[in-house]
């Protein structure tokens, strides 16, 4: 049996008296896209924030390649190969693609100066390797389309050897053509063995892009099933009613 790239075991987080995430367990295999679904306030963002080091978990374990890890900061998460693309993308609009790629992690030469050439070379390599469609490396990202900006944010995550990519609503701001490109890109990432955790409210995207669907409600996991085993109604039933479809009710997890 393959060891999961990432596994969470009974992870919990409370804010005061609110149990935002309670005993959540889930795993992502290499090359797998797991969609995390749930209504507003279900605990999705809180869960991924513990994976990306925004705040530590109150309890539970996180394992990478089967080994226990301690994620206390975004830096820890990145060192472990976990990169998060937030919904807002967090790009610096006035800077070009290369500067955005290395934002906060700039490369310097042995004299301490910015090594522009090395950064450009590195950016180009990542963009080609992942077949990203970024028209120009030196145009400010403000002038780019939603899909191109998305590509810059993804390039930034991938450049630093992400193995686990967390994408929060990657297609929410995109048109149909660009959404299709994100789909093509996700396929490419899968082929490179990355594990992807996808948060999306778009049921069509989720059904076409994911291999597995995990639904949360009120901080808990309702169920987790291979996408091909679920209909859209099944997924909605879990999201809205917080229970597994009757035909799965006896199944563990
Ligand atoms: N920093 C915080 N302080 C206090 N309560 C919080 C904090 N962050 C989240 N919560 C609470 O935790 C619960 C889960 O919120 P979370 O943001 O994880 O939900 P979500 O599934 O991401 O929802 P959405 O789909 O709206 O983004 C909610 O009840 C929310 O009010
Ligand atoms: Mg959220």
């Amino acid at each position: 049996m393959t060891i999961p790239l990432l596994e969470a075991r009974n992870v919990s987080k409370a804010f005061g008296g609110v149990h935002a995430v309670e005993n959540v367990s889930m795993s992502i295999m290499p090359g797998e896209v797991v969609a995390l679904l749930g209504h507003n306030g279900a605990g999705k963002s809180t869960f991924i924030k513990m994976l990306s080091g925004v705040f530590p978990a109150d309890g539970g374990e996180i394992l990478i390649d089967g080994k226990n890890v301690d994620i206390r900061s975004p830096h820890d998460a990145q060192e472990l190969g976990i990169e998060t693309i937030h919904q807002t993308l967090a790009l610096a609009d006035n800077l070009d693609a290369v500067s955005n790629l290395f934002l906060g992690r700039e490369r310097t030469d042995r004299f301490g100066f910015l090594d522009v050439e090395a950064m450009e070379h590195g950016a180009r390599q990542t963009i080609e390797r992942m077949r990203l469609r970024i028209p120009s490396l030196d145009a400010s990202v403000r002038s780019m389309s939603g899909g191109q900006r998305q590509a810059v944010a993804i390039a930034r995550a991938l450049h630093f050897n992400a193995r686990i990519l967390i994408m929060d609503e990657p297609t929410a701001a995109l048109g149909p053509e660009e959404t299709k490109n994100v789909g093509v890109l996700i396929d490419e990432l899968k082929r490179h063995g990355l594990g992807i955790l996808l948060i999306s409210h778009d049921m069509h995207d989720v059904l076409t892009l994911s291999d597995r669907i995990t639904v949360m409600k009120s901080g808990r996991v309702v169920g987790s099933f291979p996408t091909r085993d679920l209909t859209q109604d099944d997924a909605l039933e879990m999201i809205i009613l917080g229970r597994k479809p009757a035909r799965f009710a006896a199944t563990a997890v």
Side-chain angles (χ1 to χ4, degrees):
M1 222 184 95
T2 323
I3 297 171
L5 203 48
L6 179 107
E7 190 182 353
R9 291 187 188 160
N10 300 315
V11 168
S12 297
K13 180 84 191 173
F15 297 106
V18 179
H19 294 280
V21 169
E22 247 189 310
N23 287 319
V24 166
S25 298
M26 58 117 57
S27 57
I28 307 175
M29 305 306 276
E32 190 181 37
V33 179
V34 177
L36 191 56
L37 300 187
H39 264 321
N40 300 110
K44 307 180 297 292
S45 292
T46 303
F47 178 67
I48 65 162
K49 283 177 183 165
M50 290 185 274
L51 299 180
S52 52
V54 175
F55 39 60
D58 291 343
E61 291 173 276
I62 296 169
L63 296 89
I64 291 182
D65 297 325
K67 291 189 207 76
N68 237 300
V69 294
D70 202 13
I71 304 174
R72 310 217 135 255
S73 68
H75 180 77
D76 287 350
Q78 286 171 342
E79 290 273 292
L80 291 164
I82 302 173
E83 291 278 346
T84 307
I85 300 175
H86 296 281
Q87 185 168 2
T88 51
L89 299 184
L91 296 176
D93 274 341
N94 54 326
L95 299 180
D96 63 24
V98 177
S99 310
N100 267 288
L101 228 97
F102 289 91
L103 200 63
R105 291 185 271 192
E106 288 82 1
R107 254 195 232 163
T108 50
D109 61 21
R110 63 203 160 99
F111 305 111
F113 292 111
L114 284 183
D115 194 342
V116 176
E117 219 167 280
M119 289 193 283
E120 253 189 52
H121 179 69
R124 223 172 271 287
Q125 272 188 330
T126 297
I127 288 163
E128 278 166 21
R129 181 163 60 99
M130 290 300 163
R131 302 182 206 184
L132 296 171
R133 292 166 42 162
I134 299 170
S136 159
L137 284 183
D138 43 27
S140 75
V141 300
R142 180 184 289 119
S143 64
M144 293 183 185
S145 75
Q148 291 161 347
R149 295 165 57 86
Q150 184 81 37
V152 173
I154 290 170
R156 178 168 62 189
L158 298 181
H159 184 75
F160 296 93
N161 296 321
R163 300 179 60 214
I164 298 150
L165 192 59
I166 301 173
M167 303 173 97
D168 198 350
E169 297 284 356
T171 60
L174 304 183
E177 179 68 19
E178 292 177 326
T179 298
K180 221 165 70 198
N181 291 341
V182 171
V184 170
L185 183 61
I186 286 180
D187 279 343
E188 184 74 21
L189 302 180
K190 281 164 63 101
R191 266 189 283 141
H192 280 78
L194 268 85
I196 299 175
L197 185 58
L198 174 71
I199 296 185
S200 176
H201 280 97
D202 187 312
M203 198 54 79
H204 177 260
D205 282 359
V206 165
L207 290 171
T208 51
L209 297 177
S210 72
D211 302 300
R212 171 170 285 274
I213 290 179
T214 298
V215 178
M216 288 179 70
K217 187 175 169 71
S218 309
R220 294 175 170 275
V221 173
V222 175
S224 179
F225 297 98
T227 306
R228 63 174 178 283
D229 294 347
L230 292 182
T231 63
Q232 178 158 331
D233 283 349
D234 291 336
L236 289 172
E237 181 174 348
M238 289 199 283
I239 293 169
I240 297 165
L241 301 177
R243 64 170 191 229
K244 291 177 209 170
R247 69 178 192 286
F248 293 117
T251 324
V253 189

